[in-house]
Amino acid sequence: MKKRALISVSDKTGILEFAKELLTTGFEIISTGGTKKALEEAGIATLGIEEVTGFPEMMDGRVKTLHPLIHGGLLGRRDLQTHLDAMTEHGITPIDVVVVNLYPFKETISKTDVTEADAIENIDIGGPSMLRSAAKNFAAVTVLVDPADYQQVAMELKTEGETTLATRKALAAKVFRHTAAYDALIAGYLTELVDETQPEKLTLTYDLKQSLRYGENSHQQAAFYQDALPVTYSIAAAKQLHGKELSYNNIKDADAALRIAREFDEPAVVALKHMNPCGIGTAATIEEAYDFAYDADPVSIFGGILVANREIDLATAEKMHKLFLEIIIAPAFAPEAFEVLSAKKNLRLMTLDFSEKNQTTASEKVSVLGGLLVQDQDVIKETPQAWQVVTKRQPTAEELTALAFAWKAVKHVKSNAIVLANHHQTVGIGAGQMNRVGSVKIAIQQAEAADKMAGAVLASDAFFPMGDSVTYAAEHGIKAIIQPGGSIKDQQSIEAADEAGIAMVFTDVRHFRH
């Protein structure tokens, strides 16, 4: 008896060549629909599924392979006599090789104009059922879902007459990963469709984008996975034009910098080190924005990451070239700018579509021991018109502009977070301290050391638990503060501000970033 292979694929990459290899090694081929047509047009003889089942395809192809003569051939154990007897009694022929890939559900729901009806019709039922049946019986059945595996299987069949158990087991594991990911996309689509925000089961799927040399430290293994439904404005979607591979820490830092850059519509440059900005600058041109970002902290920018939201021109590139930088991300690089920057062989130069920066609405996920935290991204739309001045002194127009700038920046600094800024650049940043006044002192010390306190305003990511931070800021010349408010001791801060002649604005929105 000839061995049988069942082929039914949406992605027909390499399938004609593989089918010919199966024929030369003694297989007869069962096929369906478009696959059968493609094979026969290439001169490859096949059996139609209805010839095996004695039952026609129906319901627009929804019912064709869900039949005992198919699944019995896939699931029947060759090492159990009772299974063999049942197969003989019911005229079931074993199926030894299964080549199936699925309806393009992911591609369908990725279309901007997809309808619910189109999405539902592209949920494959028969394909996953055959794959799962064949994979369960890997002791006897070779199952392929990825064209990349055709060559190895063809070689084993040609040289050994069958595949090895190790190969079949590895392919079965791959199949279950594939069907699990496929089902996760369906579950995610339908869950979103019914507006379920906290389902009892969280089904996620990601695709391997890059194996990393190591993680945060050299003794930690690591890999980079991309969302199965890619997000356009993300480090995962950035195109690398030059330089060595990204590291784990590069990816984390680049992600943090991109989150900051999307806050600004005007030309802006973000310089970042160790998950915190060390300088943010905005201006009429990207060169001037870079000047401000660099000037904000010319020491910490060394070895940092830059994100610019405009094309990098030659003048800006020549300034950047003077520094040791890890990564520069921008919408584009002028040819002459790329030539200058690419002279540094290890500098990563990357481009990204900034036009989609406001499209991100997906939740963010953080692993903890034994679990996963899920929350909405902090992309709340705030309007300065809704802010409340709680002090006797009103901020000037220039101070309001600076406060708005500082407020955009402080939400991306690790808590406890304090940012000092003028209307176009950060001048002092205090991050991650265990008490808020500690962050205030660090930010002010930085600004004073650079002689940048004149006209600086202060932003705090959360409320002041007492008046000490306001008092310290006042002693060092701060005249305007922005903070969420909401402390039971707000009045202490207000009174301290009034006593010092400081204008204080409450936003009623907190921006912790742990």
Side-chain angles (χ1 to χ4, degrees), residues 416-439:
N416 288 317
I418 296 293
V419 167
L420 302 187
N422 53 41
H423 67 282
H424 58 254
Q425 72 178 158
T426 56
V427 297
I429 296 174
Q433 299 306 298
M434 286 62 72
N435 61 75
R436 191 156 298 277
V437 72
S439 290

Side-chain angles (χ1 to χ4, degrees), residues 200-231:
E200 76 291 343
K201 301 288 184 185
L202 184 62
T203 53
L204 306 173
T205 182
Y206 294 84
D207 298 325
L208 180 64
K209 180 175 177 66
Q210 180 184 346
S211 295
L212 302 174
R213 288 174 294 160
Y214 52 84
E216 283 182 299
N217 301 289
S218 59
H219 59 274
Q220 294 172 267
Q221 291 187 346
F224 183 24
Y225 285 82
Q226 181 175 16
D227 197 309
L229 296 174
V231 177

Side-chain angles (χ1 to χ4, degrees), residues 28-350:
E28 69 175 358
I29 296 174
I30 306 168
S31 194
T32 66
T35 305
K36 177 177 172 61
K37 181 180 178 182
L39 293 174
E40 291 183 340
E41 286 178 351
I44 299 170
T46 66
L47 284 173
I49 200 77
E50 67 278 1
E51 296 178 68
V52 176
T53 64
F55 214 79
E57 294 185 23
M58 62 174 59
M59 301 178 186
D60 299 319
R62 283 191 171 198
V63 179
K64 53 188 173 185
T65 59
L66 298 170
H67 194 282
L69 290 175
I70 298 299
H71 285 271
L74 298 174
L75 286 164
R77 287 180 57 176
R78 278 58 155 178
D79 61 338
L80 282 182
Q81 191 59 47
T82 54
H83 282 214
L84 295 173
D85 291 344
M87 294 170 77
T88 299
E89 179 182 353
H90 297 286
I92 298 172
T93 301
I95 298 173
D96 304 284
V97 172
V98 173
V99 189
V100 170
N101 52 56
L102 307 175
Y103 292 172
F105 182 79
K106 172 181 171 179
E107 292 75 11
T108 300
I109 64 172
S110 296
K111 297 175 182 176
T112 55
D113 58 348
V114 64
T115 65
E116 181 181 331
D118 284 341
I120 299 306
E121 279 308 306
N122 277 279
I123 297 176
D124 202 327
I125 301 300
S129 299
M130 288 189 291
L131 287 172
R132 289 169 59 82
S133 293
K136 177 176 180 175
N137 202 19
F138 65 78
V141 181
T142 304
V143 56
L144 298 104
V145 73
D146 185 351
D149 296 317
Y150 293 168
Q151 185 175 1
Q152 178 188 350
V153 169
M155 182 63 66
E156 290 187 16
L157 290 173
K158 182 182 293 186
T159 57
E160 304 296 333
E162 62 180 4
T163 54
T164 66
L165 177 59
T167 294
R168 294 194 297 274
K169 189 180 291 188
L171 291 173
K174 191 172 194 176
V175 161
F176 280 112
R177 292 195 299 271
H178 184 78
T179 57
Y182 191 80
D183 283 343
L185 286 174
I186 297 168
Y189 174 80
L190 293 176
T191 299
E192 187 175 329
L193 204 63
V194 298
D195 295 322
E196 177 60 71
T197 57
Q198 294 187 353
E200 76 291 343
K201 301 288 184 185
L202 184 62
T203 53
L204 306 173
T205 182
Y206 294 84
D207 298 325
L208 180 64
K209 180 175 177 66
Q210 180 184 346
S211 295
L212 302 174
R213 288 174 294 160
Y214 52 84
E216 283 182 299
N217 301 289
S218 59
H219 59 274
Q220 294 172 267
Q221 291 187 346
F224 183 24
Y225 285 82
Q226 181 175 16
D227 197 309
L229 296 174
V231 177
T232 303
Y233 184 77
S234 67
I235 184 59
K239 180 180 179 182
Q240 186 165 347
L241 306 179
H242 178 75
K244 61 183 180 180
E245 285 188 352
L246 296 178
S247 70
Y248 180 98
N249 293 331
N250 289 156
I251 293 166
K252 290 274 288 179
D253 283 341
D255 174 71
L258 287 171
R259 290 170 186 257
I260 303 171
R262 72 180 172 190
E263 297 284 348
F264 301 96
D265 295 321
E266 67 273 34
V269 172
V270 176
L272 186 135
K273 281 280 285 292
H274 301 296
M275 298 294 290
N276 281 299
C278 56
I280 304 172
T282 61
T285 68
I286 204 65
E287 181 186 0
E288 191 178 9
Y290 169 75
D291 289 340
F292 288 139
Y294 171 80
D295 184 60
D297 188 345
V299 174
S300 298
I301 196 174
F302 182 85
I305 286 172
L306 293 182
V307 173
N309 64 0
R310 296 292 193 277
E311 179 182 82
I312 303 298
D313 56 23
L314 176 60
T316 308
E318 287 175 336
K319 292 179 178 180
M320 292 176 171
H321 180 73
K322 297 175 183 178
L323 290 178
F324 166 59
L325 298 168
E326 291 279 359
I327 304 172
I328 303 173
I329 303 175
F333 295 84
E336 58 275 20
F338 181 81
E339 183 177 355
V340 167
L341 293 169
S342 61
K344 293 189 173 184
K345 66 177 183 177
N346 290 329
L347 173 61
R348 292 92 161 177
L349 302 177
M350 308 182 77

